[in-house]
Amino acid sequence: VETWLANPYATYARFVLGLDELPRLTDMPGANLRGSFIHQALHQFVKRYPKALPGDIQGQLMALLDESMAEHAAHPRVAAFWRPRFLRFATWFAETEAGRRDGVSAIYSEVAGQRRLAGPAGPFDLTARADRIDVTAHGLVITDYKSGGVRDQKHADEKARDSLQLQLYALAWEAETGSLPQA
């Protein structure tokens, strides 16, 4: 939806005309690939440890990150820059994950949702995939992992405040039954 609001033609080109951007011939591993590694490792971590955390959270997450980037590990950019960055992230994650799970009764990863909305030109299908949904006694905590950089905290706060992404996720999962898939 944010792309649609910012650049309606990009949405039209992709979803109506079916056009995709061609990959560049000289692309080096970039931010999208790095984000994919992180998302995949976090998804696998939640699948393997939906309840109790392992004794070595950092080591387990690094093993999953190494597994997800195995075919690119020999690339100099991945070896020299990404792995040390992943290690800093895994250290932070290990220090904070127990706190995130406090009061959480269930965790779901990569949850898809869809909602058909009425519109002036006909129905519109809203589809979304949450990186993580934590179920608490007070409701759902929907997390969207961000692996890119931000200019500063003020910019990050403004972007989060103005973004419709998490609200649209919640709308997509608001089902008549109110249930989530089995973990």
Side-chain angles (χ1 to χ4, degrees), residues 3-26:
T3 301
W4 176 44
L5 293 173
N7 183 356
Y9 184 73
T11 303
Y12 176 78
R14 181 171 176 203
F15 294 104
V16 176
L17 299 178
L19 302 177
D20 289 320
E21 185 177 344
L22 294 174
R24 295 183 181 132
L25 294 176
T26 59

Side-chain angles (χ1 to χ4, degrees), residues 65-105:
L65 280 162
D66 286 338
E67 187 179 302
S68 72
M69 65 178 183
E71 70 181 73
H72 297 279
H75 192 283
R77 176 181 282 181
V78 173
F81 298 106
W82 290 7
R83 192 163 194 295
R85 232 173 137 179
F86 291 160
L87 182 58
R88 286 192 306 275
F89 167 73
T91 301
W92 170 84
F93 183 84
E95 292 169 356
T96 59
E97 179 64 4
R100 265 189 303 284
R101 290 187 180 207
D102 189 33
V104 172
S105 59

Side-chain angles (χ1 to χ4, degrees), residues 72 87 94 115-116 139-140:
H72 297 279
L87 182 58
R115 166 75 51 154
R116 178 160 283 188
L140 303 179

Side-chain angles (χ1 to χ4, degrees), residues 45 49 54-66 83 87 90-91 94:
F45 187 89
Y49 307 104
D56 181 15
I57 298 170
Q58 178 185 3
Q60 293 299 314
L61 184 57
M62 282 306 296
L64 292 168
L65 280 162
D66 286 338
R83 192 163 194 295
L87 182 58
T91 301

